[in-house]
Amino acid sequence: MIKGIMPPIATPFINDEIAFDKLGENISKWNKTNLSGYVVFGSNGESVFLTRNEKLKLIEFVQKNKSEDKKLIAGTGSDSIKETISLSNDGAKLGADAALILTPSFYKSQMKHEAFLKYFSAVADNISIPLIIYNVPKFTGVSIEPETVAKLSEHQNIIGIKNSDENIAHLTEIIHLTPPNFLTIVGTASILFAGLSAGAAGGILALANIAANECVQIMEYINQGKLEEAKKLQMNLISVNKAVTSKYGVPGLKAAMDLLGYFGGEPRSPLAPLNLSQKEDLISILKKSKLLN
Amino acid sequence: MIKGIMPPIATPFINDEIAFDKLGENISKWNKTNLSGYVVFGSNGESVFLTRNEKLKLIEFVQKNKSEDKKLIAGTGSDSIKETISLSNDGAKLGADAALILTPSFYKSQMKHEAFLKYFSAVADNISIPLIIYNVPKFTGVSIEPETVAKLSEHQNIIGIKNSDENIAHLTEIIHLTPPNFLTIVGTASILFAGLSAGAAGGILALANIAANECVQIMEYINQGKLEEAKKLQMNLISVNKAVTSKYGVPGLKAAMDLLGYFGGEPRSPLAPLNLSQKEDLISILKKSKLLN
Amino acid sequence: MIKGIMPPIATPFINDEIAFDKLGENISKWNKTNLSGYVVFGSNGESVFLTRNEKLKLIEFVQKNKSEDKKLIAGTGSDSIKETISLSNDGAKLGADAALILTPSFYKSQMKHEAFLKYFSAVADNISIPLIIYNVPKFTGVSIEPETVAKLSEHQNIIGIKNSDENIAHLTEIIHLTPPNFLTIVGTASILFAGLSAGAAGGILALANIAANECVQIMEYINQGKLEEAKKLQMNLISVNKAVTSKYGVPGLKAAMDLLGYFGGEPRSPLAPLNLSQKEDLISILKKSKLLN
Amino acid sequence: MIKGIMPPIATPFINDEIAFDKLGENISKWNKTNLSGYVVFGSNGESVFLTRNEKLKLIEFVQKNKSEDKKLIAGTGSDSIKETISLSNDGAKLGADAALILTPSFYKSQMKHEAFLKYFSAVADNISIPLIIYNVPKFTGVSIEPETVAKLSEHQNIIGIKNSDENIAHLTEIIHLTPPNFLTIVGTASILFAGLSAGAAGGILALANIAANECVQIMEYINQGKLEEAKKLQMNLISVNKAVTSKYGVPGLKAAMDLLGYFGGEPRSPLAPLNLSQKEDLISILKKSKLLN
């Protein structure tokens, strides 16, 4: 089962090539936490800038370097059903435990109920590992409706959804309409408390790259019924989360990693690293939240 | 203080004129509930279709017919600072306890931090009753940022915000950045559980027109720490709430009122009443939620 | 008939009150041009900040001060059918030749074909002057479809549409689907050449407040078949038009008026006048286009 | 030089595999027209559903089957600079004359001026054929500003832009800000007349798959100064163009091809072929425009 908190891990580059040694160092730090697993080449892994071969190498590398108790999920989806199946199965052979599959999105006006049913059913029928739907409207410009997710949750190889939307009503409705064992996963740390309170199974959170323990702690507090403590921790992380997602994106996340003892480095072009004044703003946000002294 | 659950009451019309007798009958039913007050001519009150004189008559009528324990809030805002002040003060004289003031929105690209500070400060300085900010992006096309709300919360006559957005991160950040006595009010029933769990002071909810007791019950369960019961009730109301808001809007709300023992009637033109198949869909949704037998 | 080029005239304020003397001076300058008329309280006239009484005074004043050959159009529309009819008829008594009626827009998701037919038919049936539809998606968040305009063009009191959208396909389709005597009016100077080439009857243009002769000249060149000259003039005005519309809005238009011999002054709050660096940018844009030496 | 009218050719499939024989038949028909060339795997070629290998085969096949006077452009862009360069150069070896490169778009909020400069410069520096920028906001959710295009037009290997937007002001401003030999290409047939009148160099038009002669004729009329004839033809094609683009998309285009003597066939899943009532609507639209008898 895939539950708990996972980071969609940032892909480190040096001179524009994947820096596997740095990735290994990051992983060894994360291995010591209670993260339940890792997502490779999600949106925060700069998936769209990676070649197919680089993606497979990442799966192989993380599989070898992660501690045994951690799960490994790979972001193998694209608009092409054929390529999605092929990459997912190749990833499975190298050790991926599940495939996180982005909604198709190029032909936006046609990506509705029927198209999503066809797409996800076709993929789920043909891949050897469980499928998790990935809904992220801010990047794709489309959104999958709760009714569609409900229908797809009947497929035995579709085990969950990562919903990267701050709309808690959307998330709650998905939880309400799907079976108890279907995994509804919070996709952004700003709604972790709210999502878990509503019954979500866990979180795949950019923030978990830099604040793994804090994210896990929120979940543990909730499981222990310590809601006030959970809420307080959540409140404290809101502005940090904004800084490494909507405000500064992947470059912000990587800069924060560099500041907090991980290797972040530069994003691949055309993304640009933070400039000086952005970095100062980030430092001040990290200090205010006590993540940085 | 203005806390708890309030309906933004639907304005009943017969032959296109306000049907005060029907409104009186609705109010006498709501008076028997634990609603904490009423909002007149909010978005669900068809405010934009009412004349200034009709608005003042509504305040006067509801003030006289509401039970003493209920508060009365009036939706007196418009883009014009001058007119907003004038209507709010005239409403105050007739018994409005607070003014719910919509964000100005016509010149969308300029309605940012500075403009909102100027607008709300100017209004709050000049009205004789407390001001509650009303943020409803789906109708206005603009949204007020948590940082702006934080700044405005320092004004002693600005006591709260109704945030009609399903983005729980936005709501949570407002709660986090404003003083404990600043009222953050949930603006749509679909996020009532999540919003109250995050620390919201109450809800102004279209759904409270037809399910006052259920909405109040969610709040009471949360206050009693009965989270599972609250969540269960919340889940059950999601699709009904969608039907009377995003799916069928004011015509849907009015049709539901007619089905559930209140007077709903027809909306003012150019809004159109539900057609037959929409009405049947609504009935089936109400039955599924057990609001209708 | 209402053809040719008209400015939606800016409303001048001094100490937040309408400065009728300054308006008179502006009008006397425009009277000497070949503008075919004036629009009072359109979007550029800060209509949403004006009281009903101020609007009627504006009609009365412009009617008295305009030269006889100019037409007078008033922006009398709002979401309320009743108020739209009332204001239009009161305006007609004071001299308005036609009413420019904004699409209703508050309940966005319901403002579709049927609602627009009902709204505009009801208004057109009950006002004593011809109705011109006003479609301006950037301010209203809704848009009226060409098919809907085609249907409305059958009403004998609906004589045209001002389409303030840079989508030339939308404008062309309206021209194609409506009778030859129906007036399709370009709503922004950036597409004046393209719109007139496609068969539009004229333009109601913010830019005509400051570049009346140039706008009229584009139209005359096209009527004379001097397309290259028209296009050259059009090209030269694009960045100026952007500066006084999408880039700096009404504050930009008013600043440009001050620079070019008209009275612009400050917009009403919460709009803010341009700051220094914005004003410098505007000056440089006006110089590049040779409107300013 | 790449001027004139080109279709972004639909990719025919039989049993989900590319039907090269059918493609050959289509090409032999288009070869007899005055189309100036072909675009392979543009948005209408279902590019996102094709594998890398299929794309290369398409280039090779079209190169061999097109008449000598036609140019061949390939839609080789993706968010990855590395992959874009690699595919463009492999395509060049197989006969592509130019590369049509989509704006990167995944990280929407960061895809602004600087990122576009970096992306397109890096690609243009490293590919062996000329680069044409491809701006299509409805699919990508981002748009490249005229100022950015102006800057990029200074690069000697960036020769033009296909602008698939109905905003004629945007297109006109690009023409105004770029050198005379920079190719501004209309990206949708609904604005062909307006775009060419404004100085565009040609059109890459979905509609040219089914109405090649008519599209070419509009251009020839304009070159001959026969504006009324051009406009009349343009008007007649508006609703057909809408049917095969915004209304029914690629499935609509393919259905129209089947009706008009070409092989269209079914789109790749998850796109679905038109249903019966959609097909009837399409037939009626084609008949009204006289493309179908």
Side-chain angles (χ1 to χ4, degrees):
Chain A
M1 285 294 280
I2 292 160
K3 286 200 178 178
I5 307 296
M6 301 189 185
I9 62 183
T11 307
F13 299 105
I14 293 182
N15 296 330
D16 214 36
E17 294 301 318
I18 298 181
F20 284 102
D21 54 336
K22 298 300 181 186
L23 178 57
E25 291 169 26
N26 287 344
I27 292 175
S28 72
K29 282 170 195 153
W30 291 321
N31 277 341
K32 292 171 197 145
T33 67
N34 285 324
L35 291 169
S36 62
Y38 306 117
V39 175
V40 286
F41 46 92
S43 302
N44 285 283
E46 297 175 61
S47 182
V48 292
F49 300 150
L50 300 173
T51 65
R52 192 179 201 282
N53 198 36
E54 287 174 329
K55 289 178 186 175
L56 293 175
K57 279 189 182 161
L58 277 171
I59 295 176
E60 203 173 6
F61 184 85
V62 176
Q63 202 282 330
K64 281 188 187 140
N65 286 272
K66 72 181 183 60
S67 54
E68 266 189 39
D69 58 310
K70 315 288 193 215
K71 296 287 180 184
L72 173 54
I73 302 180
T76 48
S78 68
D79 272 63
S80 163
I81 290 174
K82 196 180 274 196
E83 175 57 17
T84 298
I85 292 168
S86 154
L87 182 60
S88 301
N89 285 333
D90 286 356
K93 282 176 208 146
L94 295 169
D97 295 305
L100 181 66
I101 306 289
L102 206 60
T103 53
S105 67
F106 191 76
Y107 299 107
K108 298 191 194 318
S109 64
Q110 283 144 318
M111 290 305 109
K112 301 270 164 73
H113 186 69
E114 289 301 333
F116 286 139
L117 292 187
K118 279 166 64 176
Y119 175 89
F120 284 108
S121 302
V123 173
D125 283 347
N126 289 287
I127 66 176
S128 56
I129 45 176
L131 185 160
I132 299 169
I133 299 164
Y134 182 18
N135 189 44
V136 59
K138 76 170 173 174
F139 288 136
T140 61
V142 303
S143 186
I144 189 166
E145 290 298 308
E147 290 78 7
T148 311
V149 178
K151 188 77 193 153
L152 287 168
S153 71
E154 296 168 10
H155 193 294
Q156 68 168 13
N157 202 31
I158 299 179
I159 62 165
I161 181 168
K162 178 192 177 194
N163 196 51
S164 294
D165 187 326
E166 296 183 323
N167 183 326
I168 192 72
H170 191 257
L171 190 94
T172 305
E173 200 170 359
I174 291 172
I175 293 170
H176 184 48
L177 297 177
T178 55
N181 65 336
F182 186 81
L183 304 168
T184 301
I185 300 169
V186 174
T188 180
S190 56
I191 69 160
L192 183 59
F193 172 80
L196 294 174
S197 297
I204 297 177
L205 312 167
L207 189 68
N209 277 283
I210 54 165
N213 288 330
E214 288 78 0
C215 293
V216 170
Q217 185 71 65
I218 287 176
M219 190 160 186
E220 287 175 358
Y221 277 145
I222 289 176
N223 290 342
Q224 297 159 9
K226 297 182 178 171
L227 299 190
E228 286 311 308
E229 286 88 343
K231 206 188 300 183
K232 210 178 144 192
L233 201 44
Q234 169 72 78
M235 290 281 193
N236 190 46
L237 295 173
I238 287 179
S239 58
V240 178
N241 184 61
K242 209 188 234 184
V244 301
T245 58
S246 59
K247 194 172 185 184
Y248 295 129
V250 172
L253 178 62
K254 289 190 152 183
M257 292 177 75
D258 283 330
L259 289 163
L260 294 171
Y262 297 90
F263 179 85
E266 299 203 354
R268 267 194 174 160
S269 180
L271 286 181
L274 297 198
N275 63 33
L276 220 67
S277 84
Q278 293 172 324
K279 217 173 274 180
E280 278 165 19
D281 179 41
L282 178 65
I283 289 172
S284 122
I285 291 168
L286 290 172
K287 282 186 175 166
K288 225 178 266 175
S289 74
K290 316 272 184 210
L291 287 180
L292 188 66
N293 297 319
Chain B
M1 286 297 278
I2 291 159
K3 285 199 178 179
I5 307 296
M6 302 189 185
I9 62 182
T11 307
F13 300 105
I14 293 182
N15 296 329
D16 214 35
E17 295 300 318
I18 299 181
F20 284 102
D21 55 335
K22 297 299 181 187
L23 179 57
E25 292 169 25
N26 287 345
I27 291 175
S28 71
K29 282 171 195 154
W30 291 321
N31 277 340
K32 292 172 198 147
T33 67
N34 284 324
L35 290 170
S36 61
Y38 305 117
V39 175
V40 285
F41 46 91
S43 302
N44 285 284
E46 297 175 62
S47 182
V48 292
F49 300 151
L50 299 173
T51 64
R52 192 179 200 280
N53 198 35
E54 287 173 329
K55 289 178 187 176
L56 293 176
K57 278 189 184 161
L58 278 170
I59 294 176
E60 203 174 6
F61 183 85
V62 176
Q63 202 282 331
K64 282 189 187 138
N65 286 272
K66 72 182 184 59
S67 54
E68 266 189 39
D69 60 309
K70 314 289 192 213
K71 296 286 180 185
L72 173 54
I73 302 180
T76 48
S78 68
D79 273 64
S80 163
I81 290 174
K82 196 180 274 197
E83 174 57 18
T84 297
I85 292 169
S86 153
L87 183 60
S88 300
N89 285 333
D90 287 355
K93 282 176 208 146
L94 295 169
D97 295 306
L100 182 66
I101 306 290
L102 205 59
T103 53
S105 67
F106 191 75
Y107 299 107
K108 298 190 194 320
S109 65
Q110 283 143 318
M111 291 304 109
K112 301 270 163 72
H113 186 70
E114 290 299 334
F116 286 140
L117 291 188
K118 279 166 66 175
Y119 176 90
F120 284 108
S121 301
V123 173
D125 283 347
N126 290 287
I127 65 176
S128 56
I129 44 175
L131 185 161
I132 299 169
I133 299 164
Y134 181 17
N135 189 44
V136 59
K138 76 169 174 173
F139 289 136
T140 62
V142 302
S143 187
I144 189 166
E145 290 298 307
E147 290 78 7
T148 311
V149 179
K151 187 77 192 152
L152 287 168
S153 72
E154 296 170 9
H155 193 295
Q156 68 168 13
N157 201 31
I158 300 180
I159 63 165
I161 182 169
K162 179 193 177 192
N163 197 51
S164 293
D165 188 324
E166 295 183 324
N167 183 327
I168 193 72
H170 192 258
L171 190 94
T172 305
E173 201 171 358
I174 291 172
I175 293 170
H176 184 49
L177 297 177
T178 55
N181 66 336
F182 187 80
L183 304 168
T184 301
I185 300 169
V186 173
T188 179
S190 57
I191 70 159
L192 182 59
F193 172 80
L196 294 174
S197 297
I204 297 177
L205 312 166
L207 189 67
N209 277 283
I210 55 166
N213 289 330
E214 288 78 0
C215 293
V216 170
Q217 185 72 67
I218 288 176
M219 190 161 186
E220 288 175 357
Y221 277 145
I222 290 176
N223 290 343
Q224 298 159 7
K226 297 183 179 169
L227 300 188
E228 285 312 308
E229 286 87 344
K231 205 187 302 181
K232 211 179 144 192
L233 201 45
Q234 169 73 78
M235 291 281 193
N236 190 46
L237 295 173
I238 288 179
S239 59
V240 179
N241 184 61
K242 209 188 234 183
V244 300
T245 58
S246 60
K247 194 172 185 183
Y248 294 130
V250 172
L253 177 62
K254 289 191 151 181
M257 290 176 76
D258 282 330
L259 289 163
L260 294 171
Y262 298 90
F263 178 86
E266 298 203 354
R268 267 196 174 159
S269 180
L271 286 181
L274 297 197
N275 63 33
L276 220 66
S277 85
Q278 293 172 323
K279 217 172 275 181
E280 277 166 19
D281 179 41
L282 178 66
I283 289 172
S284 122
I285 291 168
L286 290 172
K287 283 187 176 167
K288 225 178 266 175
S289 74
K290 315 273 184 207
L291 287 181
L292 189 66
N293 297 320
Chain C
M1 284 297 280
I2 292 159
K3 284 199 178 179
I5 306 297
M6 302 190 185
I9 62 182
T11 307
F13 300 104
I14 292 183
N15 296 329
D16 215 36
E17 294 301 318
I18 299 180
F20 284 103
D21 54 336
K22 298 300 180 185
L23 178 58
E25 291 169 26
N26 287 344
I27 292 175
S28 71
K29 283 171 194 153
W30 291 322
N31 277 340
K32 291 171 196 146
T33 67
N34 285 324
L35 291 170
S36 62
Y38 305 117
V39 175
V40 285
F41 46 92
S43 301
N44 285 284
E46 297 175 63
S47 181
V48 291
F49 299 150
L50 300 174
T51 64
R52 192 178 201 280
N53 197 36
E54 286 174 329
K55 290 178 186 176
L56 293 175
K57 278 189 183 162
L58 277 170
I59 295 176
E60 202 173 7
F61 184 86
V62 176
Q63 202 282 331
K64 281 189 187 138
N65 286 272
K66 71 181 185 60
S67 54
E68 266 188 41
D69 59 309
K70 314 289 193 217
K71 296 288 180 183
L72 174 54
I73 302 180
T76 48
S78 68
D79 272 63
S80 162
I81 290 175
K82 194 179 275 196
E83 175 56 18
T84 298
I85 292 169
S86 155
L87 183 60
S88 300
N89 284 333
D90 287 355
K93 283 176 208 144
L94 295 170
D97 294 307
L100 181 65
I101 306 290
L102 205 60
T103 53
S105 67
F106 191 76
Y107 299 107
K108 299 192 194 318
S109 64
Q110 282 143 318
M111 291 303 109
K112 302 270 164 72
H113 185 70
E114 289 300 334
F116 286 139
L117 291 187
K118 279 166 65 176
Y119 175 90
F120 284 109
S121 302
V123 173
D125 282 349
N126 289 287
I127 65 176
S128 57
I129 45 176
L131 186 160
I132 300 170
I133 299 164
Y134 182 17
N135 189 44
V136 58
K138 75 170 172 173
F139 288 135
T140 62
V142 303
S143 186
I144 190 166
E145 290 299 307
E147 290 78 7
T148 311
V149 179
K151 188 75 193 156
L152 287 167
S153 72
E154 295 169 10
H155 193 295
Q156 68 169 14
N157 201 31
I158 299 178
I159 63 165
I161 182 169
K162 178 192 178 195
N163 196 51
S164 294
D165 188 325
E166 296 184 323
N167 183 326
I168 193 71
H170 192 257
L171 191 96
T172 305
E173 200 170 359
I174 291 171
I175 293 170
H176 184 48
L177 296 177
T178 54
N181 65 338
F182 186 80
L183 304 168
T184 300
I185 300 170
V186 174
T188 180
S190 57
I191 70 161
L192 182 59
F193 172 80
L196 294 174
S197 297
I204 297 178
L205 312 167
L207 190 67
N209 277 284
I210 55 166
N213 288 331
E214 288 78 1
C215 293
V216 170
Q217 184 71 66
I218 288 176
M219 190 162 186
E220 287 175 358
Y221 277 145
I222 289 176
N223 290 342
Q224 297 158 9
K226 297 181 178 172
L227 300 189
E228 285 311 308
E229 286 87 344
K231 205 187 302 182
K232 210 179 144 191
L233 201 45
Q234 169 73 78
M235 290 281 193
N236 189 47
L237 295 174
I238 287 180
S239 58
V240 178
N241 184 60
K242 210 189 234 183
V244 300
T245 58
S246 59
K247 195 173 185 183
Y248 294 131
V250 172
L253 178 61
K254 290 191 150 181
M257 291 177 75
D258 283 329
L259 290 163
L260 295 170
Y262 297 90
F263 179 85
E266 298 203 354
R268 267 196 174 160
S269 181
L271 286 181
L274 296 197
N275 63 32
L276 220 68
S277 85
Q278 293 172 324
K279 216 172 275 179
E280 278 165 18
D281 179 41
L282 178 65
I283 289 172
S284 121
I285 292 168
L286 290 172
K287 282 186 174 166
K288 226 178 264 173
S289 74
K290 315 272 182 209
L291 285 181
L292 187 66
N293 298 319
Chain D
M1 284 297 280
I2 291 158
K3 285 198 180 181
I5 306 296
M6 302 190 184
I9 62 182
T11 307
F13 300 105
I14 293 182
N15 296 329
D16 214 36
E17 294 300 317
I18 299 180
F20 285 102
D21 54 335
K22 298 300 181 186
L23 179 57
E25 291 169 25
N26 287 343
I27 292 174
S28 71
K29 282 170 194 154
W30 292 321
N31 277 341
K32 292 171 198 148
T33 67
N34 285 324
L35 290 169
S36 61
Y38 305 117
V39 175
V40 286
F41 46 92
S43 301
N44 285 284
E46 297 175 62
S47 182
V48 291
F49 300 150
L50 300 173
T51 64
R52 192 179 201 281
N53 197 37
E54 287 174 329
K55 289 178 186 176
L56 294 175
K57 278 190 182 160
L58 277 171
I59 294 176
E60 202 174 7
F61 184 85
V62 176
Q63 202 282 329
K64 283 191 185 135
N65 286 272
K66 71 182 186 61
S67 54
E68 267 187 38
D69 59 310
K70 314 288 191 217
K71 294 288 180 185
L72 173 54
I73 302 180
T76 48
S78 68
D79 272 65
S80 163
I81 290 174
K82 196 179 274 196
E83 176 57 19
T84 298
I85 292 169
S86 154
L87 183 60
S88 300
N89 285 333
D90 287 355
K93 283 177 208 144
L94 295 170
D97 295 305
L100 181 66
I101 305 291
L102 205 59
T103 53
S105 66
F106 191 75
Y107 298 108
K108 298 191 195 318
S109 64
Q110 283 144 318
M111 291 303 110
K112 302 270 163 71
H113 186 69
E114 290 299 332
F116 286 140
L117 292 188
K118 279 166 66 175
Y119 176 89
F120 284 109
S121 302
V123 173
D125 283 348
N126 289 287
I127 66 175
S128 58
I129 45 176
L131 185 160
I132 299 169
I133 298 164
Y134 181 18
N135 189 44
V136 59
K138 76 171 173 173
F139 289 136
T140 62
V142 302
S143 187
I144 189 166
E145 290 298 307
E147 290 78 8
T148 311
V149 179
K151 187 75 193 155
L152 287 168
S153 71
E154 296 169 10
H155 193 294
Q156 68 168 13
N157 202 31
I158 300 180
I159 63 165
I161 182 169
K162 177 191 178 194
N163 196 51
S164 293
D165 189 325
E166 296 183 326
N167 182 326
I168 193 72
H170 192 256
L171 191 94
T172 305
E173 200 170 359
I174 291 172
I175 293 169
H176 184 47
L177 297 177
T178 55
N181 66 336
F182 187 80
L183 304 168
T184 301
I185 301 169
V186 174
T188 180
S190 56
I191 69 160
L192 183 58
F193 172 80
L196 294 174
S197 297
I204 297 178
L205 312 167
L207 189 67
N209 276 285
I210 56 166
N213 289 330
E214 288 78 1
C215 293
V216 170
Q217 185 70 67
I218 288 176
M219 190 161 185
E220 287 175 356
Y221 277 146
I222 289 176
N223 291 342
Q224 297 159 8
K226 297 183 179 170
L227 299 189
E228 285 312 309
E229 286 87 343
K231 204 187 304 183
K232 210 177 143 192
L233 201 45
Q234 169 72 78
M235 290 282 193
N236 189 47
L237 295 174
I238 287 179
S239 58
V240 178
N241 184 60
K242 210 188 235 184
V244 301
T245 59
S246 59
K247 193 172 186 184
Y248 294 131
V250 172
L253 177 62
K254 290 191 150 181
M257 292 178 74
D258 283 329
L259 289 163
L260 294 170
Y262 297 90
F263 178 86
E266 299 203 355
R268 266 195 175 160
S269 181
L271 287 182
L274 296 197
N275 63 33
L276 221 67
S277 85
Q278 294 172 323
K279 217 172 275 180
E280 278 165 19
D281 179 41
L282 178 65
I283 289 172
S284 121
I285 291 167
L286 291 172
K287 283 187 174 166
K288 226 178 264 175
S289 74
K290 315 273 183 209
L291 286 181
L292 188 66
N293 298 320

